[in-house]
Amino acid sequence: VAEIRSFREEDLEQVVALSLRAWEPVFDSTRMALGDEIFYRLYPRGVDEQGTAVANNIAQHARTTWVATGADGDQVIGFALVIIDGDSPVGAIDMIAVDPAHQQRGVGRALTDFATDRIRDAGKTVAMIGTGGDPGHGPARLTYASAGYTLMPMARFWKAL
Ligand SMILES: CC(C)(COP(=O)(O)OP(=O)(O)OC[C@H]1O[C@@H](n2cnc3c(N)ncnc32)[C@H](O)[C@@H]1OP(=O)(O)O)[C@@H](O)C(=O)NCCC(=O)NCCS
């Protein structure tokens, strides 16, 4: 489907840009679910917070971040970030996104499978991905189910103080 290779420093700008595009509808859905009051306390700059979160997370986990590239090899069309620290049997896919212009063509599934293989290679015996139960995270849930992950429904309750 797409080439997947290790993240390089020079990919950062493209990864952040595609993340903002990919997460924009997801953040709209989160805002609908939480209401403006809670949403803007959590994300004062809306989806821009996700750009910062992606950059910070990659700074910490650059060696376990991979990118999917387009036909020309330079264009970054998606990424996955994995956390495999510690003694736990569990490795986590912490972030995954595909540029909307390249979605629904198997790139997200390929990144999920690739990241899962890296978690297995690291000696972990279980892989986990956390995501939302709201409509905006629907494509993510379909992708993980398609990759053979078992859903354990969870609930998180919020209150503005
Ligand atoms: C989740 C995401 C990475 C999926 O990427 P993608 O490249 O579109 O996914 P794929 O094309 O590989 O699709 C994987 C499966 O999910 C299904 N799917 C994905 N998006 C879908 C959609 N919008 N509608 C219907 N089905 C969808 C595909 O049909 C496919 O199913 P199949 O394997 O049974 O055929 C992408 O939607 C995204 O970047 N979302 C925004 C960021 C996000 O939510 N990240 C995860 C946060 S936890």
Side-chain angles (χ1 to χ4, degrees):
V1 174
E3 289 285 313
I4 298 176
R5 60 158 173 81
S6 293
F7 170 82
R8 304 174 191 141
E9 253 346 287
E10 58 266 32
D11 297 326
L12 185 63
E13 201 174 317
Q14 287 194 80
V15 171
V16 169
L18 80 84
S19 293
L20 293 175
R21 290 192 289 272
W23 263 291
E24 191 173 359
V26 178
F27 270 62
D28 286 345
S29 171
T30 301
R31 187 167 58 78
M32 293 291 286
L34 287 174
D36 284 2
E37 189 179 26
I38 293 173
F39 178 82
Y40 284 110
R41 289 181 190 195
L42 296 172
Y43 309 107
R45 296 178 297 125
V47 72
D48 286 352
E49 303 286 352
Q50 189 67 4
T52 307
V54 166
N56 289 342
N57 214 0
I58 290 177
Q60 235 184 309
H61 299 285
R63 279 176 300 160
T64 50
T65 300
W66 291 274
V67 298
T69 56
D72 69 359
D74 286 332
Q75 189 196 7
V76 176
I77 62 173
F79 83 104
L81 184 153
V82 160
I83 297 182
I84 43 181
D85 300 343
D87 297 332
S88 149
V90 182
I93 300 181
D94 195 55
M95 288 185 154
I96 186 160
V98 172
D99 200 323
H102 297 272
Q103 287 178 5
Q104 293 196 67
R105 293 182 207 165
V107 179
R109 171 69 195 275
L111 280 165
T112 303
D113 289 344
F114 186 95
T116 305
D117 287 343
R118 301 292 76 74
I119 291 171
R120 185 186 290 106
D121 290 348
K124 302 296 185 183
T125 53
V126 178
M128 187 278 287
I129 319 174
T131 193
D134 58 313
H137 288 95
R141 294 193 301 275
L142 288 169
T143 301
Y144 311 147
S146 156
Y149 280 72
T150 299
L151 171 65
M152 165 63 191
M154 314 260 296
R156 185 174 284 184
F157 289 77
W158 302 83
K159 189 180 179 72
L161 306 176

